[in-house]
Amino acid sequence: MRWAARLFQFLKYSHFAAHRKACLRLWSLEDRAIPSATVTSHVDSDPTTALAEFGSNPSPDPVGPGPQGPYPEIGDFVWRDLNGNGLQDFGEPGIANVTLQLYQNDKLVGTTTTDAMGRYFFNSWNVTNGTADTADDGMIAGVTYQIRVAGNQPNLIGLRPTIANSGTDDIRDSDMTATATGGTLDFTLGDGAYYVHYDMGYATAATIGNLVWSDKNNNGKKDANEVGLPGVSVRLLDATGAVEVVTTTTAADGSYLFTGLLPGIYVVEIAKSNFASGAALFGCSSSTGAPGWPTGPFEGAGTPDGSVGNGADHGMTTDGVVRCRPVTVMAGTMNNQAIDFGFFRPGTLTGRVYVDVKANGQMDAEDVAGVAGVKVTAAGPAGLFTTTTDAAGNYSFANLPAGTFTITESQPVGYRNSTPNFVNAIVGPAAPTTVSFGQARTTDLSVKMTARPNAVAVGGINTLTYRVKNLGMLDATGVTLLMPLPQGMSIIGVDQTGAAFDQPSQRASIPTLAAGAEAVVVLRVRAHRAGTFRLMATVQGPAEDVMANNRSMVWSVVGTPWSPPAIVMPAKSAFLASAFRR
């Protein structure tokens, strides 16, 4: 009988043979050199049928009882899947000295080891039912078994069960299911059969990982001064993102690594628990790559492919968690350590540019009006950010990286600062930072004078016109216009609107000059001596903002009065006149 078993062992490993789970059915043979019955066999033309068949109904040995063969038997090949595709390709070798254990339920009933070519089998020679009588050893038809292979064996170090049932070719695929500690293969034994092509492929274990870091400036890239974040929980999910494969925690330098993975497609997730109060990422947001904005090239539709790129954020916020795009580790790309996640602590800066009615530098109850259209600038660790106040004077910066910022307002026309126009403030994630700016309304007085004409003779009359205007936002009270005249000029007439001129002091008082209003004083003066005169006008008022336009000047030229020259009669004319009288 032993020679028959060895014959079938040879047939079993002939790869011209046949389909997975192909079976041989046997008659019992006597233990002698030449079998007493003729064994017939065939190779079915249909590759989906059995390799060979020796009768569907085993019958007693025609010569008499004798030792039985090892069948039923299952087995085939443990091999190295070099390209990780889950299929036996040409040139991929077997793995020797791999121990396989056969279990019936939780009972160990058999153990075997692959030979130098990676072949193995289970039959009555290595499967025991645990009784003293060896006659009932071997596998039993209709019983469900499981082959278990521990992953910590010397010849499997660094390897992982390859993809199971890849494609449609049952002869070339792997039938093992990966587990956390190795792999298993489940089957139910048929009746008196020899099963081939229960194959088990092993590929180089895949790895995925890299870094979770503090992206302080939210530019989506790890800069030299930025550090990793420890204690962050990282989950590895299957391709659907619905099933957790394994979880880990970042090390002190923010690094993480998933090892011993099956070839395939995965999703890396920063777990939602990281963002809870007191957790490693509390108050953090995923890098956007656009400081000051909630979205950008590293957050949203533009998230980079997780298969390439090192030191760049691959995260995308989804339903409160941060995930990368699906990562493929397969067929030569079994190591992907480029899956990085940057996080920054966003801060919000808000404030208001308001009308400070009392000009006291405080926001009082009556300070309800805002100043619209004021440019506000925040300069900090991530650069320069600008915005403009709305109709109510409010402004806001969201998603600023936490840090110290200098906030500056551009001075609006018609106001003066009642508070400093730049402030240093810390913007952090705990609560919005508020910086407001007070603006007091101003009385911006201007004066402009003219002289018509600006050149007269002695004794001539010059008309001087003085115009005082309030260019500010606030009514001006107690305004004084100074109009000194040089010696040699006297006032002969005054016209005035909105002002009261005092001739002895040569000044005009304006009790109230409303915002945008104008007061006019017109003096008519006579020039009494020749010369070039500089005429000045100065306006004064309380709480003025702009002083450059408070003075005006003109020049006036006064010349000698003109008279016709005397007529001198020539001598001849005098003679003729004398003669005429005679």
Side-chain angles (χ1 to χ4, degrees), residues 60-278:
D61 189 307
V63 178
Q68 299 296 303
Y71 305 99
E73 178 176 291
I74 70 101
D76 200 17
F77 193 44
V78 178
W79 95 98
R80 179 71 181 274
D81 186 8
L82 297 178
N83 60 9
N85 66 353
L87 300 173
Q88 299 174 48
D89 296 311
F90 180 77
E92 293 183 333
I95 305 175
N97 299 318
V98 176
T99 298
L100 301 89
Q101 296 177 310
L102 183 69
Y103 280 81
Q104 179 183 344
N105 296 322
D106 288 329
K107 178 183 177 183
L108 178 64
V109 295
T111 301
T112 189
T113 303
T114 58
D115 63 16
M117 298 180 66
R119 299 172 300 189
Y120 80 94
F121 61 86
F122 284 107
N123 55 32
S124 63
W125 290 347
N126 56 18
V127 177
T128 176
N129 290 316
T131 63
D133 185 2
T134 59
D136 64 354
D137 285 349
M139 291 178 289
I140 304 170
V143 173
T144 297
Y145 293 91
Q146 184 182 74
I147 299 174
R148 301 178 186 177
V149 182
N152 60 355
Q153 302 182 51
N155 284 9
L156 297 181
I157 297 299
L159 302 179
R160 191 78 166 88
T162 191
I163 305 167
N165 302 313
S166 179
T168 59
D169 190 344
D170 285 338
I171 296 176
R172 296 176 57 209
D173 71 356
S174 177
D175 300 294
M176 172 179 284
T177 299
T179 66
T181 58
T184 60
L185 192 158
D186 296 290
F187 66 93
T188 300
L189 190 69
D191 182 18
Y194 164 49
Y195 290 84
V196 296
H197 296 299
Y198 275 115
D199 303 311
M200 304 178 190
Y202 280 84
T204 300
T207 59
I208 294 175
N210 208 34
L211 183 70
V212 179
W213 91 95
S214 174
D215 187 12
K216 290 184 178 180
N217 58 7
N218 186 28
N219 66 352
K221 299 177 182 179
K222 185 182 182 304
D223 299 315
N225 64 335
E226 294 174 339
V227 299
L229 295 172
V232 177
S233 177
V234 186
R235 301 174 69 208
L236 186 69
L237 311 176
D238 68 359
T240 68
V243 179
E244 180 181 294
V245 177
V246 66
T247 185
T248 189
T249 302
T250 58
D253 62 353
S255 64
Y256 73 94
L257 185 65
F258 296 110
T259 61
L261 303 178
L262 279 169
I265 301 174
Y266 298 90
V267 173
V268 183
E269 176 186 284
I270 304 300
K272 184 180 290 188
S273 59
N274 292 297
F275 303 98
S277 178

Side-chain angles (χ1 to χ4, degrees), residues 422-435:
F422 72 92
V423 177
N424 291 323
I426 297 175
V427 177
T433 300
T434 301
V435 175

Side-chain angles (χ1 to χ4, degrees), residues 28-41:
S28 300
L29 301 178
E30 287 186 357
D31 188 19
R32 50 188 174 181
I34 301 174
S36 60
T38 301
V39 178
T40 61
S41 66

Side-chain angles (χ1 to χ4, degrees), residues 36 44 55 71 97 128 134 143 169 208 220 236 247 268 288 303 337 349 360 374 381 389 422 490 522 532-533 558-559:
S36 60
D44 202 306
Y71 305 99
N97 299 318
T128 176
T134 59
V143 173
D169 190 344
I208 294 175
L236 186 69
T247 185
V268 183
T288 67
T303 302
Q337 295 191 40
L349 171 65
N360 60 1
V374 179
T389 58
F422 72 92
S490 61
V522 179
T532 300
F533 300 93
V558 178

